[in-house]
């Protein structure tokens, strides 16, 4: 149940509401603005170097080819965050559409018993229902278990095997959901980092010593 709650939360934040928590956050805009200013300074030095190369008539430096790149990326640099957000939003919209068509609208969990509510909410509920362990959260199961303890004592091997197998299935389901949640969370952190460093990804294509980093960013 805990793994299901964490997984549903990761899907909600990283896919459905990524723009709310990451794209439009003040911290994101501030961090991107700082790197954008540094990238603009780097491009400015590129223009200065280009002017010096022109004045000194340095034919060895291909300034004629580098100048258009500097101009283009000087303009695109200031739209780097918007471009990156557009790409990420497009992938999230496709993912959200596939999710909703496959599993329906995400239902709001209003039940006070959140362990019981998770079996009817989001993608985690589908996983729990497919492996048929969602009924473990029902109070009737616990009541029947204690009421029938005499029968369990008369047939101990059968019930021991049942609970051992149930514990294995539950553990595997929890590990899978925890693993999927960690992958989604790491995806969100990675995309946020790429959004912050997007000025370097654009400016690096025009600044020689940042070209390798820019290609890695892309």
């Amino acid at each position: 149940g805990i793994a299901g709650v964490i997984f549903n939360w990761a899907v909600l934040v990283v896919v459905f509401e990524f723009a709310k928590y990451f794209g439009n956050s003040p911290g994101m805009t501030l961090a991107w603005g700082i790197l954008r200013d540094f990238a603009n300074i780097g491009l400015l030095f590129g223009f200065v170097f280009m002017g010096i190369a022109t004045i000194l008539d340095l034919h060895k430096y291909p300034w004629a080819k580098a100048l258009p790149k500097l101009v283009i990326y000087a303009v695109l640099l200031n739209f780097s965050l918007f471009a990156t957000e557009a790409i990420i939003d497009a992938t999230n919209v496709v993912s959200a559409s596939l999710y909703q068509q496959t599993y329906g609208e995400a239902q709001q969990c209003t039940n006070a018993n959140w362990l019981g509510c998770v079996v009817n909410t989001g993608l985690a509920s589908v996983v729990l229902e497919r492996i048929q362990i969602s009924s473990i959260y029902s109070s009737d199961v616990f009541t029947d278990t204690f009421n029938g303890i005499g029968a369990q004592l008369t047939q101990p091997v059968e019930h021991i095997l049942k609970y051992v197998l149930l514990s294995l299935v539950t553990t595997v389901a929890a590990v899978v959901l925890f693993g999927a949640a960690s992958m989604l969370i790491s995806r969100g952190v990675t995309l946020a980092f790429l959004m912050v460093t997007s000025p370097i990804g654009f400016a690096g294509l025009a600044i020689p010593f940042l070209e390798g980093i820019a290609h890695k960013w892309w």
Side-chain angles (χ1 to χ4, degrees):
I2 295 173
V5 169
I6 295 176
F7 176 77
N8 285 337
W9 172 84
V11 171
L12 179 66
V13 173
V14 178
V15 177
F16 287 95
E17 298 184 354
F18 182 86
K20 175 182 177 182
Y21 291 102
F22 295 95
N24 299 324
S25 63
M28 174 67 66
T29 306
L30 176 63
W32 172 81
I34 294 174
L35 285 182
R36 178 203 58 193
D37 294 340
F38 278 111
N40 279 323
I41 292 174
L43 290 177
L44 178 61
F45 277 111
F47 281 111
V48 171
F49 179 78
M50 199 74 61
I52 295 175
T54 304
I55 293 172
L56 299 179
D57 197 18
L58 299 177
H59 296 288
K60 293 183 179 180
Y61 187 78
W63 60 270
K65 295 181 179 180
L67 183 58
K69 292 174 61 177
L70 280 173
V71 174
I72 292 172
Y73 289 112
V75 175
L76 294 179
L77 169 65
N78 296 284
F79 298 96
S80 59
L81 181 61
F82 172 78
T84 310
E85 286 179 341
I87 296 172
I88 295 173
D89 287 342
T91 60
N92 285 338
V93 167
V94 173
S95 301
S97 299
L98 293 174
Y99 179 95
Q100 291 175 356
Q101 290 180 13
T102 306
Y103 304 108
E105 296 288 342
Q107 301 176 3
Q108 294 296 323
C109 192
T110 57
N111 194 334
N113 180 13
W114 57 272
L115 279 178
C117 185
V118 71
V119 301
N120 297 316
T121 307
L123 181 56
S125 66
V126 179
V127 176
L128 295 179
E129 289 174 2
R130 291 294 185 273
I131 57 180
Q132 299 181 357
I133 62 171
S134 58
S135 60
I136 193 173
Y137 301 114
S138 173
S139 59
D140 295 336
V141 173
F142 292 104
T143 302
D144 295 340
T145 299
F146 286 111
N147 291 339
I149 194 168
Q152 296 183 29
L153 292 177
T154 57
Q155 298 175 334
V157 176
E158 177 183 345
H159 288 87
I160 288 174
L161 288 176
K162 178 177 69 174
Y163 287 120
V164 168
L165 292 175
L166 177 61
S167 65
L168 290 175
V169 171
T170 311
T171 302
V172 170
V175 170
V176 170
L177 290 174
F178 274 128
S182 65
M183 291 170 63
L184 285 171
I185 294 172
S186 64
R187 173 185 181 270
V189 173
T190 302
L191 291 179
F193 178 76
L194 290 175
M195 290 168 63
V196 172
T197 57
S198 58
I200 298 178
F202 280 79
L205 297 179
I207 302 175
F209 65 89
L210 290 178
E211 188 173 2
I213 298 177
H215 284 298
K216 289 182 179 179
W217 183 90
W218 282 99

